[in-house]
Amino acid sequence: MIKTTFLWRILLAGFALVGYVGCSSGTKEAGGEACVDPKVVADYVHAIIEADRTLYASLVVERMKYHGKDLVSEDWAQKDKLPLPAQMLQFAGLEVERKGTGLKYRLASLWPVDKTNGPANDIERTGLQAVADDPKTVHTSTIKRPTGPHFKAIYADKAVSETCVTCHNKHSLSPRNNYKLNDVMGGIIIQFPLK
Ligand code: HEC
């Protein structure tokens, strides 16, 4: 028993050392070492995406609606209106991807209105299911890409207002029409290279 504990300690110390050595050298100001857990980086990115979406929904869409102006439409381009918050998020994700840093994000679901927003592979399917089962979960994985390892994190996307529920439940292309307030409707998938 004692031997096993000892072995575990050596193993853990080994992992810690690998983690330490694996960190890239940081700025002088940061004491020479800079190493941020990829999950923390994903949390930062997620916070920005969430803030942008919430503010667009409250400061633009809902505020204008309150003043009697229903300015948003799914067919915003044809109808000369503004895009939905979900569409703005997807457009911003594409714009970020075009910057070429390797960072990507998108809104996805196991029950997508737009089929291209479904899971792209088994990892995404498992992750979207995990966040649907428990919205507090952040499903993380490291995946191999031709350019090197990438970190993927999936966060729950919940029906925070009745408008989410109503629009998706009555949408002709929605494969699910029994959403309730606070249900998980999908997830935000964030991915970036680890080096
Ligand atoms: C007025 C209708 C409408 C409202 C309100 C709305 N959505 Fe959507 N939502 C859509 C449409 C349309 C899409 C597909 C957009 C696209 O083409 O990518 C979508 C996409 C999504 C997706 C990606 C998967 C899919 O279904 O294609 C998620 C997740 C989602 N919405 C969650 C929400 C949440 C959460 C809210 C409330 C905060 C919300 N939606 C409010 C219409 C709406």
Side-chain angles (χ1 to χ4, degrees):
M1 201 60 185
I2 294 169
K3 264 189 193 160
T4 328
T5 319
F6 184 65
L7 262 176
W8 269 114
R9 277 192 190 148
I10 292 185
L11 267 175
L12 284 174
F15 282 135
L17 191 65
V18 169
Y20 181 78
V21 174
C23 292
S24 61
S25 58
T27 58
K28 274 186 195 148
E29 295 80 11
E33 267 300 322
C35 186
V36 184
D37 181 344
K39 161 68 170 52
V40 174
V41 177
D43 286 347
Y44 293 157
V45 176
H46 181 245
I48 297 170
I49 300 168
E50 277 290 275
D52 281 350
R53 184 181 180 195
T54 307
L55 290 180
Y56 178 66
S58 59
L59 292 185
V60 180
V61 181
E62 278 152 34
R63 190 168 138 263
M64 285 296 114
K65 212 170 186 172
Y66 177 78
H67 290 291
K69 297 176 192 149
D70 206 356
L71 294 184
V72 293
S73 165
E74 183 181 345
D75 309 314
W76 57 276
Q78 293 89 330
K79 295 189 176 157
D80 219 8
K81 292 206 163 192
L82 301 177
L84 302 171
Q87 290 173 312
M88 278 297 271
L89 194 159
Q90 303 294 47
F91 296 150
L94 292 173
E95 195 63 29
V96 165
E97 200 175 334
R98 271 197 283 273
K99 301 274 176 214
T101 61
L103 172 66
K104 297 206 281 189
Y105 64 79
R106 69 189 187 99
L107 200 51
S109 174
L110 294 172
W111 315 277
V113 168
D114 179 336
K115 276 202 181 117
T116 61
N117 296 335
N121 48 46
D122 284 344
I123 293 180
E124 292 192 358
R125 192 167 294 108
T126 309
L128 287 170
Q129 189 61 59
V131 299
D133 292 342
D134 178 6
K136 286 193 287 301
T137 302
V138 180
H139 184 271
T140 59
S141 53
T142 303
I143 53 168
K144 276 190 200 154
R145 308 292 304 155
T147 51
H150 279 58
F151 188 77
K152 199 189 253 296
I154 305 181
Y155 297 77
D157 195 47
K158 284 171 56 178
V160 288
S161 82
E162 277 297 341
T163 53
C164 318
V165 172
T166 320
C167 185
H168 278 251
N169 279 352
K170 70 170 195 214
H171 199 287
S172 60
L173 297 177
S174 175
R176 185 174 157 184
N177 55 14
N178 63 349
Y179 287 114
K180 297 182 303 307
L181 195 62
N182 291 319
D183 274 352
V184 175
M185 299 177 74
I188 293 176
I189 305 182
I190 299 170
Q191 187 178 310
F192 51 83
L194 283 172
K195 33 182 154 161

